[in-house]
Amino acid sequence: DTLFQPTHTSQRPSHQATSMEAALNRLGRATGALAVGTFTVSQCLYTVDGGERAVMFDTLRGGILPDIRKEGTHFLVPIIQRPVIMDIRTKAREVPSVTGTKDLQMVNIKLRVLWRPIEEELPTLYRELGTDFDERVLPSIGNEVLKSVVAQYNAEELLSKRE
C-alpha cells in the first residue's frame, strides 16, 4: 500500500564513532596550537655565535640601543626589534697605495692591517657607519698613513730597510 519504498534507512552514528571524531578534533586543535606556539617562540629568539656581538635595533625606542649582546641565545620582540650581528674577531686587510717618496719617485706599496672593532663602540659604529664600516674607514686611513710614512724616505732607503 505505499507507493514508495525507502532505499536506505538513516542510522544514528554509534557512540564510539562520535568519541573518535571528538578525539581527532582535539588532536587537530592541539597540533595547531603547538605549531603556532613553536613559530612564535622561534621568532622571539636569536643566537649570537662565538666571536660575534649583537646590537639591537628597536623601532619603538628610537633606533640602536646602547647595550651589546654577547654570545648565546637572546630574546627579542618580533617586528619591533631586530638584532644586528657583528663580527669582532681580528681580521687582516691589505690596503694598496701608489705614493711618492722623499725624492719624488712613485712607489706601489701595500699595507697589511690587523684590525678588530672595539666592542664597547659597536652601537656607535653601526649607527654612524653601518655594517660595512671597515670598507669605509680602513682604506682612507691606510692610504693616509702610507703616504705620510713613505714620504719620509727616499726610494733607496725604502728598498734597503724593508722587512
Side-chain angles (χ1 to χ4, degrees):
D1 317 25
T2 63
L3 296 171
F4 300 101
Q5 186 174 5
T7 56
H8 102 287
T9 59
S10 65
Q11 295 180 2
R12 289 183 50 188
S14 70
H15 177 67
Q16 184 179 13
T18 305
S19 65
M20 184 67 118
E21 187 177 308
L24 285 175
N25 280 340
R26 283 194 303 271
L27 180 63
R29 282 192 209 116
T31 304
L34 182 65
V36 168
T38 302
F39 176 75
T40 303
V41 168
S42 72
Q43 294 301 309
C44 293
L45 296 175
Y46 68 98
T47 302
V48 179
D49 294 327
E52 295 177 338
R53 296 293 182 267
V55 294
M56 186 64 70
F57 181 81
D58 191 317
T59 55
L60 292 182
R61 291 193 272 172
I64 299 296
L65 300 180
D67 57 328
I68 299 160
R69 311 288 167 91
K70 297 185 183 297
E71 295 100 352
T73 302
H74 304 279
F75 290 101
L76 65 95
V77 179
I79 300 171
I80 296 171
Q81 293 180 327
R82 180 177 51 90
V84 179
I85 308 292
M86 302 173 90
D87 192 359
I88 61 161
R89 292 177 282 218
T90 301
K91 294 181 227 162
R93 179 173 175 101
E94 281 193 359
V95 180
S97 181
V98 177
T99 185
T101 61
K102 188 176 183 181
D103 55 353
L104 302 177
Q105 293 188 35
M106 296 309 287
V107 177
N108 287 327
I109 194 165
K110 286 183 185 176
L111 173 67
R112 184 167 190 260
V113 180
L114 292 174
W115 69 277
R116 66 182 176 89
I118 299 170
E119 187 175 334
E120 295 77 29
E121 298 298 323
L122 286 176
T124 306
L125 274 173
Y126 181 72
R127 185 179 309 112
E128 294 178 7
L129 300 171
T131 54
D132 63 341
F133 54 86
D134 59 327
E135 298 289 330
R136 298 170 134 197
V137 173
L138 290 178
S140 60
I141 292 176
N143 258 335
E144 188 177 321
V145 169
L146 272 174
K147 288 179 189 284
S148 68
V149 170
V150 170
Q152 297 173 9
Y153 301 96
N154 59 33
E156 185 180 317
E157 288 177 316
L158 284 175
L159 288 172
S160 64
K161 292 183 179 181
R162 72 176 170 182
E163 296 173 15

